[in-house]
Amino acid sequence: MLSDSIRNIRTIAKRELMGYFNSPVAYVFIVIFLLLNGFFTFMLGGFFEIGEASLARPFFNWHPWLYLFLVPAAGMRLWSEERRTGTLELLLTMPVAAWEAIVGKFLACWVFLAIALALTFPVVATAMYLGSPDVGATVAGYLGSLLLAGAYLAVTVMTSALTRNQVISFIMSVVICFFLIFAGWEQVTSLAVRWAPDWLVNTIAAFSVMPHFMNFQRGVVELRDLVYFVSVMVFSLFTTSVILRNLRGA
Amino acid sequence: MITVENLVKEFGPKKAVNNVTFTVQRGEILGFLGPNGAGKSTTMRMLTGFFPPTSGKVAIGGHDISENPIAAKKLIGYLPEAAPCYSDMTVRGFLAFCAEMRGLSGGAIADAVNRVAGLCFLEGVLHQSVDTLSKGYRHRTCFAQSIIHDPEVLVLDEPTDGLDPNQKHEVRQLIKRMGEKKAIIFSTHILEEVEAVCSRAMIIDRGTVVANGTPAELKAKAEGAGSVTLRVFGTAAETVKSRLGSLMVAGKVSVSSANNAVSARVFPRDRHVNGELAKAVAELTVKEGWKFDELHTEEGRLDDVFRAITLPDTVKARND
Ligand SMILES: Nc1ncnc2c1ncn2[C@@H]1O[C@H](COP(=O)(O)OP(=O)(O)OP(=O)(O)O)[C@@H](O)[C@H]1O
Ligand SMILES: [Mg+2]
C-alpha cells in the first residue's frame, strides 16, 4: 500500500516538475530569483561594507521578502490550473488518493524552489573566498531558507485549490504569507509591545515565520523551529485536502 | 460490473439526479440518453468517484466507490465530457503519464501507448503538444487515455462528440468490439449511435429514468410502431379499407389515394399482434389478387420515442 502511494506521488511530482522545465517560465523564474538575490545581498544588504564575510545577515535576511512574491508565483497554478482546464476530473478519477496528488504537486514545486536556491551557491563560494564564514551557520541558513520556502509553498498550494483563477490564488497567498512575516517581524513587534501586553504579542509572533527563521539565520537549528515549519506545511496541505473534498461535494 | 442503487445528487435545492437505479453487466453496452441538463454527466461523475452522491450507492466490480475508491477506480476507464488533457505535454507524454498512474511500468507503458495510439489513430500526432491539437484529436487523445489500462469498466461521456464521420464510425466499432468483454456505459445525443452500438438504452429526463430497455423495446413504444403500410394499384380505396378493416388483428385503418394508387396504413388492434398483422395483410393481398408495390411494418423510431417521453417536460420547464 505504502509503495503504491510513493509511486503515485513520484509519478505526479515527476509530471509536475517536467512541466516547469518544459516551459520558459522556469528559466525566467530562476534568473529573476538569482538577480534579486544578488541585488539584495550586495546592494541593499551591504555585503561588502559589513567587513566580516558572514553570509547570514546580508544573504538570508531578505529571503522572507523575496519568497513573499516568488513562491506564490511558482505555486499559484498547481491546483487552479487543474480546476480551470478540467484535468482535475481526470486526476481525481484515477486510482490515487487526493492527499497523494497534493503531496506530489507540493514536492515537485518544492524541489524546483530547492534547485533555484541551490543555484545561489556562487554567493557562498564568494563568501568562502573572501573570508571564513561559519560553515555550520551557512548550512543552517540554507536549511531555514528551504523550510521557509516550503511553508510559503504549502500556503500557496492551499490558496490555489480555492479558486480556478491563478491571479486570485497568487494574491490570497501573498496576503497570508505577508501576515506570517508581519506578525513576528522585529520592527512590528517592538512597536506593538508599547500598547499590547507582552504575552499577546509573543503569542501572535509565535505564529510568524520570522522568529523561527531568525534562529536558522543565526546558525541555530532547534527542534522547536523545525516543528513549526513542518506544522505549517502539514496544516496547509491538510486544509487543501478538505478544500478539494468540499469542492467536489458541492 | 456496475451497480447503481437509488442514486441522488442535489446541488443546493436542485435535484440533478433523482433516484436512479440500474446495472450494467460484463458484455453489455448501455446507451445513456437524455436532453441537455438531464443529469447524465452528473451520474457519470458519481460512477467514477469524482464527487460523492448525496445519497445512494455505486459499486464497481463489487467495490463500493465511497468505501473502497481506489479498488473501484482501478477498474474504470473514464472519458469526461470536456475531454480534458494536460496541455503542456506531448500526446505521448500525456498517455505515458496516464499509463503510469494506472500502475503500468517500464516497457509496458510504451506498449500500452502504442496500442491505444493505433486504436485511436494518434500515431501521427504522438510528438505533438496537446495544446496544438485540433478538437477532434484532443478528444481522441482523452479517449485513448480511458482505455490505456484495458479496464473492465468504461464510462464514456459523449465519446463521439466533435469527431468527423469516419472517426465516429471507427469509435463506434471500437466500443462495440470492446463491449464484448467489458461493461460499458456511454452517453450520447446521437440516436442512431444507440441503435448501432448498444445492447440496452436508458433515457433520463430531469434526473429521473424515464425509459430503460433494448433499443427494439424502446422503439416499439413509438407512436405508430407496429403499423403496416400497404400500397396497391387499380383497386378502389373503399374496397381496400373495408377488406383490411375486416381482418381479425387489425385496428384502425387509414387510406389515401393518389393517381391510381391507394396507400393504406393498418394499425394493430393491440400491441401484441405485431408480427401477425403483416402476415394477415400479406395473405389478404394475395387472396384478393391486388397489385402492390409496397408492404412494410413500421418499426418505430427512437427519435419519436425520445421526443414523446422528454418533450412534454421540456415544454413545461420552459413555461414555468
Ligand atoms: N457543479 C454543479 N453545481 C450546480 N449545478 C450543477 C453542477 N453540475 C451540474 N449541475 C446541474 O445539474 C443538472 C444536470 O447536469 P448534467 O451536466 O449532468 O447534464 P447532462 O445530462 O450531462 O447534460 P448535457 O447533455 O448538456 O451534457 C444541470 O441542470 C446542471 O445545471
Ligand atoms: Mg453532459
Side-chain angles (χ1 to χ4, degrees):
Chain A
M1 290 318 280
L2 186 64
S3 67
D4 277 0
S5 293
I6 291 173
R7 203 191 122 94
N8 287 337
I9 290 171
R10 207 185 47 211
T11 307
I12 290 173
K14 197 174 72 186
R15 195 202 77 75
E16 208 68 52
L17 195 60
M18 260 158 50
Y20 278 108
F21 287 102
N22 280 342
S23 80
V25 179
Y27 304 99
V28 172
F29 179 93
I30 289 177
V31 168
I32 291 180
F33 177 76
L34 295 179
L35 283 178
L36 286 179
N37 242 314
F39 176 74
F40 279 130
T41 308
F42 294 109
M43 300 298 162
L44 298 181
F47 179 74
F48 295 117
E49 286 92 76
I50 290 177
E52 39 154 347
S54 151
L55 262 185
R57 280 207 78 71
F59 181 66
F60 293 115
N61 206 18
W62 297 101
H63 281 193
W65 302 99
L66 201 55
Y67 287 154
L68 178 59
F69 294 99
L70 289 181
V71 171
M76 64 187 180
R77 56 181 271 283
L78 285 174
W79 286 104
S80 51
E81 188 70 0
E82 297 261 354
R83 289 186 59 180
R84 191 179 66 75
T85 59
T87 45
L88 186 66
E89 193 169 350
L90 207 59
L91 184 61
L92 295 183
T93 53
M94 286 181 174
V96 290
W99 73 266
E100 294 165 358
I102 294 169
V103 171
K105 279 170 173 288
F106 170 77
L107 286 181
C109 193
W110 204 15
V111 166
F112 173 68
L113 293 171
I115 292 172
L117 183 61
L119 291 176
T120 59
F121 185 71
V123 178
V124 181
T126 311
M128 301 263 184
Y129 174 75
L130 292 178
S132 51
D134 183 346
V135 175
T138 307
V139 171
Y142 267 112
L143 178 63
S145 180
L146 190 61
L147 288 170
L148 179 71
Y152 282 10
L153 177 61
V155 169
T156 307
V157 169
M158 178 178 75
T159 61
S160 80
L162 277 172
T163 167
R164 56 185 63 206
N165 185 323
Q166 293 189 22
V167 177
I168 295 178
S169 146
F170 174 82
I171 293 171
M172 284 195 293
S173 178
V174 170
V175 168
I176 295 175
C177 292
F178 183 69
F179 172 80
L180 286 181
I181 297 179
F182 205 69
W185 191 26
E186 277 172 351
Q187 274 86 331
V188 176
T189 47
S190 56
L191 283 179
V193 284
R194 292 194 192 158
W195 49 269
D198 266 7
W199 63 266
L200 185 64
V201 173
N202 287 338
T203 312
I204 293 178
F207 283 101
S208 166
V209 291
M210 288 309 254
H212 303 284
F213 181 64
M214 285 305 173
N215 285 343
F216 281 101
Q217 239 189 62
R218 286 187 208 106
V220 183
V221 180
E222 272 197 67
L223 186 63
R224 215 166 41 129
D225 302 319
L226 287 173
V227 168
Y228 167 81
F229 282 113
V230 172
S231 309
V232 172
M233 290 184 233
V234 170
F235 173 81
S236 302
L237 296 184
F238 178 76
T239 309
T240 309
S241 77
V242 173
I243 292 169
L244 285 179
R245 192 161 58 231
N246 287 341
L247 191 74
R248 293 179 290 147
Chain B
M1 290 300 289
I2 308 177
T3 315
V4 174
E5 276 170 41
N6 307 108
L7 205 59
V8 176
K9 183 72 188 181
E10 290 167 1
F11 291 112
K14 184 161 151 203
K15 268 196 178 164
V17 173
N18 189 1
N19 215 21
V20 168
T21 299
F22 65 90
T23 59
V24 186
Q25 306 295 335
R26 191 188 297 275
E28 241 185 335
I29 304 179
L30 177 67
F32 200 18
L33 305 172
N36 291 137
K40 302 181 293 295
S41 302
T42 306
T43 305
M44 291 181 153
R45 286 178 176 148
M46 290 188 281
L47 283 186
T48 52
F50 179 55
F51 48 49
T54 307
S55 69
K57 272 177 79 103
V58 173
I60 306 290
H63 304 289
D64 190 295
I65 194 86
S66 316
E67 282 157 24
N68 205 350
I70 303 293
K73 285 173 182 176
K74 275 190 175 150
L75 299 176
I76 308 178
Y78 177 41
L79 170 64
E81 184 170 36
C85 305
Y86 287 107
S87 54
D88 54 355
M89 305 178 93
T90 62
V91 173
R92 181 184 283 285
F94 172 68
L95 292 176
F97 166 71
C98 293
E100 201 173 339
M101 291 297 293
R102 293 296 187 170
L104 302 182
S105 56
I109 293 178
D111 290 347
V113 171
N114 292 331
R115 180 178 59 84
V116 296
L119 285 174
C120 301
F121 304 94
L122 293 170
E123 289 106 335
V125 296
L126 273 177
H127 297 289
Q128 202 171 324
S129 161
V130 168
D131 59 2
T132 63
L133 290 178
S134 73
K135 176 181 164 162
Y137 271 97
R138 186 162 344 157
H139 211 96
R140 273 145 64 181
T141 304
C142 198
F143 181 76
Q145 161 278 134
S146 72
I147 56 174
I148 197 146
H149 53 305
D150 199 17
E152 297 188 49
V153 173
L154 264 182
V155 180
L156 307 170
D157 203 346
E158 303 192 19
T160 57
D161 180 46
L163 300 188
D164 68 52
N166 297 335
Q167 284 300 325
K168 277 199 170 83
H169 179 77
E170 293 294 343
V171 167
R172 280 176 207 157
Q173 295 306 314
L174 182 58
I175 293 176
K176 201 164 179 177
R177 253 183 290 135
M178 291 191 300
E180 289 163 14
K181 285 173 289 165
K182 304 181 194 297
I184 302 183
I185 173 169
F186 78 93
S187 71
T188 180
H189 290 298
I190 306 170
L191 296 166
E192 304 90 76
E193 204 155 82
V194 176
E195 290 181 59
V197 176
C198 298
S199 56
R200 204 148 52 81
M202 186 162 79
I203 303 180
I204 182 172
D205 188 21
R206 291 188 296 156
T208 314
V209 176
V210 289
N212 188 353
T214 63
E217 279 167 8
L218 292 187
K219 282 194 289 185
K221 289 188 179 173
E223 194 154 348
S227 69
V228 173
T229 304
L230 172 71
R231 195 158 77 149
V232 300
F233 293 92
T235 310
E238 289 311 308
T239 324
V240 174
K241 184 169 182 174
S242 70
R243 286 289 148 77
L244 285 173
S246 65
L247 289 172
M248 281 290 292
V249 288
K252 192 169 141 278
V253 180
S254 62
V255 293
S256 65
S257 49
N259 299 331
N260 203 10
V262 179
S263 288
R265 188 148 183 211
V266 191
F267 293 87
R269 172 158 292 166
D270 63 65
R271 293 203 166 231
H272 308 292
V273 294
N274 290 353
E276 284 156 48
L277 182 63
K279 215 166 93 196
V281 172
E283 278 166 6
L284 179 76
T285 314
V286 173
K287 203 175 86 202
E288 297 283 336
W290 291 338
K291 279 191 246 150
F292 70 101
D293 72 343
E294 188 186 344
L295 173 68
H296 75 263
T297 307
E298 287 292 334
E299 274 202 331
R301 286 164 13 110
L302 220 40
D303 282 56
D304 297 335
V305 184
F306 184 85
R307 288 232 291 282
I309 298 179
T310 59
L311 182 67
D313 293 350
T314 324
V315 173
K316 210 167 81 204
R318 201 180 299 144
N319 290 344
D320 61 33

